[in-house]
Amino acid sequence: MTTYYGLYFEINIFCILLMVIFAVHSRQGLGTMVSRQRFVYAISAAIIFFASDTIWYGMDQGVFTNNLLASIVLKSIYFLSATVSGYLWFIYLETAAGAAFVKDRRLIFRASIFVWIHVILALINAWNGMFFYFDDAMKYYRGNFFWLQYVFIYIYLIAACVHALVLAFKPENYIERDLYIVLASFPMLPIFCGIMQWFYWRMPFNCVGITLSAIIVYLNAMIQQISLEPLTQLNNRKQFMKSLEQLMKTHGTDGEVYLFMLDMNRFKVINDTYGHMEGDKALLLVSDALKRAVGGLKKRATLARFGGDEFVIVACLDSDAEADKLKEEILKEIEFQNTKVLKNYVLSLSIGYANNTGKSDGIRELISAADEALYVEKEKAHAAEKKN
């Protein structure tokens, strides 16, 4: 084994082992079951891509016995698996971004059109060498349409990147903005490394680029799993407390930190009457309403599920008037969500808020003040129910 191929081999094997680890551990919890499956499919295609490259390059360097048919087959697998990998990463990224079309198998199949075109052209390539060919000395050459294989891959990667960026900069999506930015960044390294591979094809740039992007996506998914509440995909209580603590440190005495505590009215009745599945649907409707309401704020805010049917929002606001406006926006969004309720109940929230008064209020004092304001609102809601 040549020293150069030894390094090439070690880099590719290391990347393959990392991909295998990601595939195994993703089965223990990486988003939804569908998301996990699609992640594993994309990882598997990448492993085939790396392995075929490693074996062929070993043949090219004289480490393994070389023959024309084996070289053509391995190179074809290499380029086809690259396109399949690009397609499967596209499907996974769109699934993680919540795209509607990935729920329809027919649309998913239609999206694979460039994979099938590549398959047909790869078969033709065996006769005319449009993508690549080998001379009598088994030397590898690129064909006149070699570049088209890059187009097939990049169509998927660029489409996923652009869509994620569009979602990231929609005001109503600011809660998931960090996720969308990570998804948009995934294709950038493979695209850059693919360009480098074009010019320096004897270096395993593609392998390294895809693996690094997979690491970024995998680590982000793990962070999301730790910091998000599973049902609503809002921040959990621990993440909320971190955000509140950070805001109190930076705005501890300026009176701009507003804490909203929100509680669903008659949630227990929904659970007892219609079951916990319907209760979960109600929680999701409320969380969607809160996301849209908070998405209209000028400054960034943190929205979290505090526990059970309680939600919290912490935001930097300029005045009580802005806080009242947010409260009105939330109630308006809840009214809209009631048009989606198919059972005989009405969604409603009690909302209390407080701000650090410009003094050295601590976190406990702020939470206590917001909780007291919420209690007053709950009493009002109970009194209104008795009248009705």
Side-chain angles (χ1 to χ4, degrees):
M1 181 181 294
T2 65
T3 302
Y4 182 79
Y5 178 70
L7 178 61
Y8 195 99
F9 177 83
E10 288 173 0
I11 291 173
N12 276 17
I13 292 300
F14 178 72
C15 291
I16 289 173
L17 289 175
L18 281 178
M19 290 295 198
V20 170
I21 291 171
F22 294 155
V24 172
H25 282 273
S26 68
R27 295 181 180 276
Q28 300 174 7
L30 188 75
T32 64
M33 182 180 294
V34 172
S35 182
R36 290 197 299 271
Q37 288 176 343
R38 289 172 180 173
F39 182 81
V40 171
Y41 293 157
I43 289 288
S44 301
I47 291 173
I48 295 171
F49 177 56
F50 301 163
S52 59
D53 180 45
T54 305
I55 296 170
W56 176 79
Y57 200 65
M59 292 170 58
D60 182 68
Q61 293 294 299
V63 177
F64 307 124
T65 303
N66 198 358
N67 66 73
L68 181 60
L69 179 60
S71 293
I72 293 174
V73 169
L74 282 170
K75 263 302 180 183
S76 297
I77 291 173
Y78 171 74
F79 286 115
L80 279 173
S81 60
T83 299
V84 171
S85 181
Y87 163 71
L88 292 174
W89 280 117
F90 166 72
I91 295 298
Y92 167 73
L93 294 172
E94 291 295 280
T95 301
F101 89 90
V102 293
K103 297 177 183 178
D104 189 326
R105 292 185 177 181
R106 291 173 299 176
L107 294 179
I108 291 175
F109 180 76
R110 289 175 189 173
S112 67
I113 179 65
F114 296 106
V115 173
W116 296 109
I117 292 174
H118 195 172
V119 169
I120 294 170
L121 293 180
L123 293 173
I124 296 173
N125 176 76
W127 281 272
N128 65 12
M130 61 184 299
F131 292 148
F132 63 86
Y133 60 91
F134 297 89
D135 63 14
D136 295 336
M138 297 300 298
K139 187 176 180 181
Y140 168 75
Y141 292 94
R142 292 172 175 175
N144 293 331
F145 292 93
F146 175 83
W147 55 270
L148 192 57
Q149 298 174 113
Y150 274 68
V151 172
F152 295 142
I153 303 166
Y154 283 12
I155 282 176
Y156 290 118
L157 295 179
I158 292 173
C161 179
V162 170
H163 186 215
L165 283 175
V166 169
L167 292 174
F169 290 101
K170 282 188 175 181
E172 64 270 24
N173 290 338
Y174 96 98
I175 295 291
E176 296 92 357
R177 185 162 296 155
D178 290 343
L179 169 63
Y180 293 140
I181 289 175
V182 169
L183 296 179
S185 68
F186 173 90
M188 295 180 182
L189 268 174
I191 289 173
F192 172 77
C193 289
I195 293 171
M196 294 297 293
Q197 187 97 32
W198 178 287
F199 295 103
Y200 305 100
W201 64 271
R202 291 184 179 275
M203 298 292 291
F205 287 110
N206 281 329
C207 178
V208 173
I210 294 172
T211 303
L212 288 176
S213 286
I215 290 173
I216 292 170
V217 169
Y218 181 81
L219 290 178
N220 181 73
M222 292 297 100
I223 292 170
Q224 295 286 328
Q225 187 175 335
I226 293 169
S227 62
L228 297 184
E229 189 273 323
L231 175 65
T232 61
Q233 291 297 293
L234 299 177
N235 291 297
N236 57 26
R237 185 168 183 160
K238 183 177 180 180
Q239 190 66 24
F240 164 75
M241 292 302 292
K242 285 183 179 179
S243 297
L244 178 57
E245 184 179 352
Q246 184 178 4
L247 273 180
M248 290 295 284
K249 284 180 179 178
T250 54
H251 299 273
T253 59
D254 60 12
E256 291 186 1
V257 179
Y258 279 76
L259 174 62
F260 291 75
M261 301 197 76
L262 311 93
D263 190 83
M264 291 178 64
N265 298 322
R266 297 176 62 81
F267 179 68
K268 187 175 184 301
V269 175
I270 297 174
N271 266 338
D272 292 346
T273 306
Y274 302 103
H276 291 285
M277 291 293 290
E278 189 64 32
D280 287 348
K281 290 181 183 178
L283 288 168
L284 288 171
L285 288 172
V286 169
S287 65
D288 287 344
L290 296 178
K291 287 178 184 178
R292 286 197 299 272
V294 173
L297 293 175
K298 294 182 293 183
K299 299 178 182 178
R300 184 161 185 153
T302 297
L303 169 62
R305 185 180 175 190
F306 205 57
D309 60 344
E310 296 182 0
F311 299 84
V312 285
I313 300 170
V314 61
C316 285
L317 304 175
D318 295 330
S319 63
D320 286 355
E322 190 175 356
D324 289 331
K325 183 179 178 182
L326 174 58
K327 184 176 176 179
E328 291 173 7
E329 188 65 27
I330 291 170
L331 295 176
K332 186 173 89 172
E333 291 292 348
I334 291 295
E335 282 300 314
F336 173 74
Q337 293 296 73
N338 272 312
T339 62
K340 301 178 183 179
V341 175
L342 302 179
K343 303 291 184 179
N344 190 27
Y345 65 84
V346 177
L347 295 172
S348 66
L349 290 179
S350 293
I351 306 172
Y353 70 82
N355 74 315
N356 60 334
T357 59
K359 302 175 183 178
S360 57
D361 297 5
I363 290 177
R364 289 185 180 180
E365 288 80 4
L366 182 59
I367 292 176
S368 178
D371 198 35
E372 288 179 13
L374 174 62
Y375 177 78
V376 171
E377 293 298 316
K378 291 290 286 186
E379 288 298 306
K380 290 180 182 178
H382 290 157
E385 286 177 11
K386 288 180 181 178
K387 286 183 180 180
N388 296 332

